[in-house]
Amino acid sequence: DQQVKQNSPSLSVQEGRISILNCDYTNSMFDYFLWYKKYPAEGPTFLISISSIKDKNEDGRFTVFLNKSAKHLSLHIVPSQPGDSAVYFCAGTNDYKLSFGAGTTVTVRA
Amino acid sequence: DGGITQSPKYLFRKEGQNVTLSCEQNLNHDAMYWYRQDPGQGLRLIYYSQIVNDFQKGDIAEGYSVSREKKESFPLTVTSAQKNPTAFYLCASSAGTGRRETQYFGPGTRLLVL
């Protein structure tokens, strides 16, 4: 039973524009969410997180928005850069155990 | 440089063979994890360990075994009981097991069956 879903397997965006990645979750017990970025043949690296007591967290070009009532979160990357081309995983948790989505592959076009 | 190392990068398994994937961390982290990634799926937890000499099953532990004899090492054995072992295996560690503890990942091992 997949508790975190990323319904868009891929996203193509022009360099300099905004990338918006979406994630939905079903477990209402989740109170902490994370985004990881992964390049091919490498392990995921932590990008940004958000606690359920907030609805927005910003770190440089990356902003995560959380809508608890809709059980939805999104990651905004502004402006998108070629180095942002990677797979992005959303994860939710209420303890040590992370539940991951299937990932969204972002391709930034020059 | 602190980090997590996994070896080998690629591993081939013959039918009926057990293989062991190595994971070492020098971050002085207490908790370590093993995940499996299959195409089109998120990472799934195989085993985790909160402390030396202790470990617990994750969601898909069948056909796998682990040990945690040293804080820095958490090897994963893929046994012959695992009927579909072809996947990308990721090891991770975190300072603790609270939900706000960021998990840091190694580069992964790709296991292929001959």
Side-chain angles (χ1 to χ4, degrees), chain A residues 24-76:
Chain A
D24 296 296
Y25 62 97
T26 57
N27 190 335
S28 57
M29 298 299 292
F30 285 165
D31 61 1
Y32 194 65
F33 302 89
L34 307 92
W35 285 92
Y36 279 84
K37 175 180 178 179
K38 182 182 180 301
Y39 292 117
E42 294 184 13
T45 55
F46 170 73
L47 193 57
I48 192 169
S49 62
I50 187 166
S51 164
S52 60
I53 62 172
K54 293 185 173 183
D55 55 17
K56 177 182 174 181
N57 189 27
E58 196 171 348
D59 184 2
R61 296 186 297 115
F62 302 92
T63 302
V64 57
F65 296 92
L66 175 62
N67 182 335
K68 289 189 295 293
S69 61
K71 293 192 178 71
H72 177 84
L73 63 157
S74 61
L75 175 68
H76 292 208

Side-chain angles (χ1 to χ4, degrees), chain B residues 88-109:
Chain B
F88 190 53
Y89 290 86
L90 288 159
C91 178
S93 71
S94 62
T97 52
R99 61 186 177 280
R100 297 175 193 281
E101 297 285 357
T102 300
Q103 292 186 22
Y104 297 89
F105 286 83
T109 292

Side-chain angles (χ1 to χ4, degrees), chain B:
Chain B
D1 262 338
I4 302 173
T5 56
Q6 291 186 244
S7 61
K9 191 169 184 176
Y10 295 95
L11 186 58
F12 297 91
R13 193 191 93 163
K14 296 179 182 178
E15 293 289 339
Q17 186 182 41
N18 292 356
V19 292
T20 297
L21 285 62
S22 168
C23 177
E24 304 277 331
Q25 55 99 357
N26 61 2
L27 300 167
N28 199 33
H29 283 172
D30 285 322
M32 297 186 74
Y33 312 80
W34 274 105
Y35 290 90
R36 168 179 171 143
Q37 186 191 9
D38 294 281
Q41 294 192 39
L43 283 66
R44 292 182 291 166
L45 183 65
I46 305 172
Y47 267 98
Y48 72 100
S49 168
Q50 295 176 285
I51 198 167
V52 174
N53 293 322
D54 185 56
F55 48 83
Q56 284 81 40
K57 293 181 180 180
D59 297 323
I60 54 167
E62 186 175 348
Y64 300 96
S65 66
V66 293
S67 63
R68 186 90 187 274
E69 296 176 4
K70 297 186 296 182
K71 185 175 185 177
E72 59 269 23
S73 179
F74 191 40
L76 173 75
T77 296
V78 184
T79 74
S80 57
Q82 172 48 245
K83 297 306 177 189
N84 186 21
T86 297
F88 190 53
Y89 290 86
L90 288 159
C91 178
S93 71
S94 62
T97 52
R99 61 186 177 280
R100 297 175 193 281
E101 297 285 357
T102 300
Q103 292 186 22
Y104 297 89
F105 286 83
T109 292
R110 185 164 297 281
L111 177 60
L112 299 164
V113 177
L114 295 176

